[in-house]
Amino acid sequence: VGQVTEQVEVLANPSVIATESAAEGATLSGDIMYKLPNYQRYAASTMNFIGNISTGGYAYGGGLGSYHIAGQRSSAIGAFDDGVVSNNQTSGTGYVKPVLNTVEDIKIITTVAPAEYGHSGGGIMDIVKKTGTNEFHGLASLYGRSRRMQHRLFFDKYKTSQPQPGGPNGVGSFFLLPDFNLSGPIIKNKTFFIVGYQHLIEKKSAQAFGTVPTPDMLGGNFGFGGVGQQLFDPSTTRQVNGAWVRDPIPNNVIPQSRFGAVARNVIALNPWFSPNLPIQYTAQGPLDNLLYNEPARVFFHDWSGRLDHQFNPGLKLFFSTTINTNEGLSRFPRNLAIPDFDGGEGVTNPSQNTIMSLGGTWIISPTMISDTRIGFNRWARERQVASTGQDWASRLGIPNTDGALMPS
């Protein structure tokens, strides 16, 4: 055995102070975020683990609206995916959500961002996807819970398994988040791919209180057990000694003869649920006389993928994309049994949000690098109204009105 005559040691010690930038923040790997028991697997949930960030109530990782970096507005947070802006350009707090099992790391910048980011001064969430390798790899996961795994909420009157109004067999509570990915080579040492998919399935009911008309009210009786605010007959409006006066309606009972044709048609349809709780009256009417189950039906389909090609060690090209599809189901009904009558929640809003990134890195010389990104960001949303094409105007007897939708 010969004597060692020469030894080469290479050390890479990171600088304690990053002198090339004034930005501060932290980076978490996508694998760590994937393994943490977060309620849902979203990249923005990283901000729950970073300092200098506050949240407004429950911080939902599917959007940026609950987060505030260094006291700034949530709409001022810039979201980037493989170098391209992924914010919703119309709302400011939405972002295209990558499948977490395809994410390499997530950097959160909590101060003024370096110039290459731009966008805003409210902090940055920068996401970089994984690349494939010369070996094939795959992952599959099933993550979720059923109602047997969930305790009763503090203000709920019943357990989810107990018979209750509107749910003789209890109510469902089902959450499932299956996902998978696959990566590997297309051409060894040259071209690599990774693709991931995630499907969020949520079916549950939350117990809530509402108010619906009583049978007395539908019959014209607004006495409310003697505590109702006095009603006056508008047809008796007149001036007496310079003051405008009206006659009170006896006992607050409106005669059937005073009901208009449209009102009769609506009452005949009776679009409301029937009261199922003891009635408590105030001067304005009944209070919380309906216990109902507010259903949540959420179905998301998310795809992420990336393709990398190396022409030579000094020239590399990649293409990356993420697609979020939401089937847009709403949480109605609340107090209306016919969704067509609900102008707020009797609608569905399916959407598809897409981001694409094309990038190239060219090492021109040891001291010069060209890094280029081209991005495409598209948010497509529909509004589907339950009353479309039902000609409710004629069915209710409302003249001179387009029958395309329920008259507002």
Side-chain angles (χ1 to χ4, degrees), residues 43-57:
S45 297
T46 306
M47 287 189 272
N48 292 320
F49 307 99
I50 304 296
N52 205 23
I53 296 176
S54 61
T55 60

Side-chain angles (χ1 to χ4, degrees), residues 157-158 164-166 208-210 212 273-279 288-293:
K157 184 176 181 180
Y158 303 100
Q164 52 194 274
F209 293 96
V212 290
F273 289 114
S274 299
N276 57 16
L277 292 177
I279 300 175
D288 291 344
N289 60 354
L290 176 71
L291 177 65
Y292 67 95
N293 293 311

Side-chain angles (χ1 to χ4, degrees), residues 101-313:
N101 65 38
T102 67
V103 172
E104 179 66 31
D105 58 47
I106 306 159
K107 178 193 291 185
I108 306 296
I109 298 176
T110 58
T111 56
V112 176
E116 62 264 28
Y117 290 99
H119 182 270
S120 66
I124 295 292
M125 177 179 67
D126 189 10
I127 299 165
V128 177
K129 292 191 182 75
K130 298 176 180 177
T131 62
T133 65
N134 272 334
E135 295 181 351
F136 286 100
H137 296 275
L139 173 151
S141 168
L142 192 61
Y143 174 51
R145 69 162 188 254
S146 68
R147 72 180 185 181
R148 293 181 180 273
M149 303 167 67
Q150 178 177 316
H151 62 84
R152 175 166 58 182
L153 299 179
F154 184 82
F155 291 105
D156 281 358
K157 184 176 181 180
Y158 303 100
K159 296 180 180 178
T160 55
S161 58
Q162 285 182 290
Q164 52 194 274
N169 299 315
V171 296
S173 179
F174 179 81
F175 170 79
L176 203 61
L177 193 66
D179 69 308
F180 76 87
N181 71 18
L182 181 65
S183 65
I186 297 176
I187 303 173
K188 282 204 170 185
N189 300 318
K190 287 288 185 181
T191 309
F192 314 94
F193 79 94
I194 183 170
V195 61
Y197 170 75
Q198 176 176 282
H199 182 29
L200 188 148
I201 308 166
E202 186 176 27
K203 299 178 182 179
K204 67 178 182 180
S205 293
Q207 297 170 30
F209 293 96
T211 302
V212 290
T214 64
D216 283 347
M217 293 169 66
L218 296 179
N221 185 345
F222 293 88
F224 303 146
V227 301
Q229 184 174 334
Q230 180 62 56
L231 302 183
F232 295 86
D233 188 343
S235 67
T236 62
T237 305
R238 61 193 185 279
Q239 262 194 335
V240 176
N241 298 325
W244 291 99
V245 297
R246 288 176 174 174
D247 294 339
I249 295 176
N251 301 317
N252 276 1
V253 177
I254 300 174
Q256 295 278 330
S257 59
R258 301 291 296 277
F259 282 31
V262 176
R264 292 178 184 275
N265 291 333
V266 172
I267 291 171
L269 286 168
N270 192 15
W272 301 277
F273 289 114
S274 299
N276 57 16
L277 292 177
I279 300 175
Q280 304 176 50
Y281 284 116
T282 68
Q284 285 74 40
L287 178 67
D288 291 344
N289 60 354
L290 176 71
L291 177 65
Y292 67 95
N293 293 311
E294 180 189 57
R297 301 167 298 157
V298 181
F299 304 99
F300 293 165
H301 302 271
D302 301 321
W303 288 92
S304 286
R306 176 167 167 145
L307 187 66
D308 288 83
H309 180 74
Q310 178 176 264
F311 294 95
N312 57 60

Side-chain angles (χ1 to χ4, degrees), residues 36 42 61 112 130 153 195 225 263 305 335 339 342 380 382 405:
L36 284 172
Y42 289 131
V112 176
K130 298 176 180 177
L153 299 179
V195 61
N335 61 353
D342 193 332
E382 296 180 6
L405 298 171

Side-chain angles (χ1 to χ4, degrees), residues 343 398 401-402 405-408:
I398 301 176
T401 303
D402 190 338
L405 298 171
M406 173 68 71
S408 60

Side-chain angles (χ1 to χ4, degrees), residues 308-330:
D308 288 83
H309 180 74
Q310 178 176 264
F311 294 95
N312 57 60
L315 182 60
K316 300 177 182 179
L317 191 70
F318 80 87
F319 171 77
S320 136
T321 185
T322 292
I323 302 172
N324 300 151
T325 301
N326 173 15
E327 296 187 12
L329 298 175
S330 300

Side-chain angles (χ1 to χ4, degrees), residues 385-397:
V385 183
S387 64
T388 302
Q390 303 298 315
D391 197 16
W392 277 106
S394 343
R395 293 165 66 180
L396 297 177

